[in-house]
């Protein structure tokens, strides 16, 4: 035993936690749950916000797409209307073609010109005397010029016929055929005359 007087440090319980200036407490310290609770509440709030706000944001993002698509579709209507307005412009071209069609109809009339100054030869192939002279008088009386009137020396003819040398004399041959009631006209250059009236049987 020591000779020093007893003090408060000498009375130590057996099961008490010993502590002092140089010794830490031997009791386990209880951990605080407050930080974990704060983190949990924050995570819950973030989850709720994400659950309610993300659908709204996605809905707002999709709506402008629909507007742009409708806006893009609207210009197509004026274009179709513009295309429809250009179609009636084609109708005047049809009228222009109709005006051009009557022009060729004038040309045949200008080509079919009767020239009565063309000399006409009259030949008798029937054997009847004076028949060629009689027809020559009818032709000259209508204003034509008769170059000769004689008997036919060629092949026998089954009917009366008017010969013309080329296509330029076709109108004259048709005019003579109407005058003399001779419907047959034949183009040939063998006779050497522009027009030749050959009187056959029945003349």
């Amino acid at each position: 035993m020591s000779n020093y007087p007893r003090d408060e440090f000498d009375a130590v319980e057996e099961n008490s936690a010993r502590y002092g200036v140089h010794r830490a407490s031997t009791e386990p310290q209880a951990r605080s749950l407050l930080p974990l609770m704060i983190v949990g509440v924050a995570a819950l709030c973030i989850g709720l916000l994400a659950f309610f706000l993300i659908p709204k944001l996605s809905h707002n993002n999709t709506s402008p797409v629909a507007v742009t698509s409708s806006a893009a579709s609207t210009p197509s209507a004026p274009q179709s209307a513009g295309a429809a307005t250009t179609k009636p412009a084609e109708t005047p071209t049809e009228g222009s073609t109709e005006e051009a069609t009557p022009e060729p109809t004038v040309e045949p009339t200008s080509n079919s010109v009767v020239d009565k100054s063309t000399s006409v030869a009259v030949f008798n192939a029937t054997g009847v005397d004076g028949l060629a002279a009689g027809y020559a008088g009818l032709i000259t009386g209508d204003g034509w010029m008769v170059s000769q009137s004689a008997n036919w020396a060629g092949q026998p003819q089954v009917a009366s016929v008017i010969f013309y040398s080329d296509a330029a004399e076709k109108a004259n041959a048709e005019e003579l055929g109407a005058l003399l009631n001779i419907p047959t006209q034949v183009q040939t250059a063998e006779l050497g005359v522009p027009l030749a009236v050959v009187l056959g049987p029945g003349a």
Side-chain angles (χ1 to χ4, degrees):
M1 296 184 59
S2 63
N3 295 324
Y4 295 100
R6 295 180 63 85
D7 56 12
E8 59 181 348
F9 295 103
D10 293 330
V12 179
E13 297 179 0
E14 292 181 359
N15 296 328
S16 64
R18 297 180 179 182
Y19 61 92
V21 176
H22 60 279
R23 185 180 295 175
S25 176
T26 59
E27 291 183 357
Q29 296 180 355
R31 294 181 180 180
S32 176
L33 299 179
L34 182 61
L36 294 177
M37 294 178 63
I38 293 174
V39 173
V41 172
L44 181 61
C45 293
I46 293 172
L48 292 175
L49 289 175
F51 180 76
F52 289 105
L53 291 179
I54 289 177
K56 291 182 180 180
L57 292 176
S58 62
H59 179 70
N60 292 331
N61 291 331
T62 55
S63 58
V65 175
V67 173
T68 54
S69 62
S70 62
S73 61
T74 50
S76 62
Q79 290 177 356
S80 61
T85 54
T86 56
K87 291 181 180 178
E90 298 176 356
T91 52
T93 57
E94 297 177 356
S96 61
T97 55
E98 293 178 356
E99 294 176 357
T101 49
E103 294 179 356
T105 57
V106 182
E107 295 179 355
T109 57
S110 60
N111 293 333
S112 60
V113 176
V114 176
D115 184 10
K116 292 185 178 182
S117 64
T118 304
S119 60
V120 180
V122 181
F123 298 101
N124 184 6
T126 62
V128 179
D129 294 337
L131 187 62
Y135 272 85
L138 291 176
I139 294 171
T140 56
D142 193 53
W144 296 87
M145 184 181 65
V146 176
S147 60
Q148 59 177 327
S149 176
N151 292 326
W152 176 248
Q155 295 180 355
Q157 299 294 320
V158 296
S160 299
V161 61
I162 298 176
F163 294 101
Y164 60 95
S165 60
D166 52 30
E169 302 296 336
K170 183 177 181 180
N172 294 331
E174 291 176 351
E175 184 70 15
L176 284 174
L179 174 65
L180 303 177
N181 196 19
I182 300 175
T184 305
Q185 295 96 32
V186 178
Q187 179 179 347
T188 179
E190 294 179 358
L191 300 179
V193 291
L195 294 172
V197 178
V198 179
L199 303 173

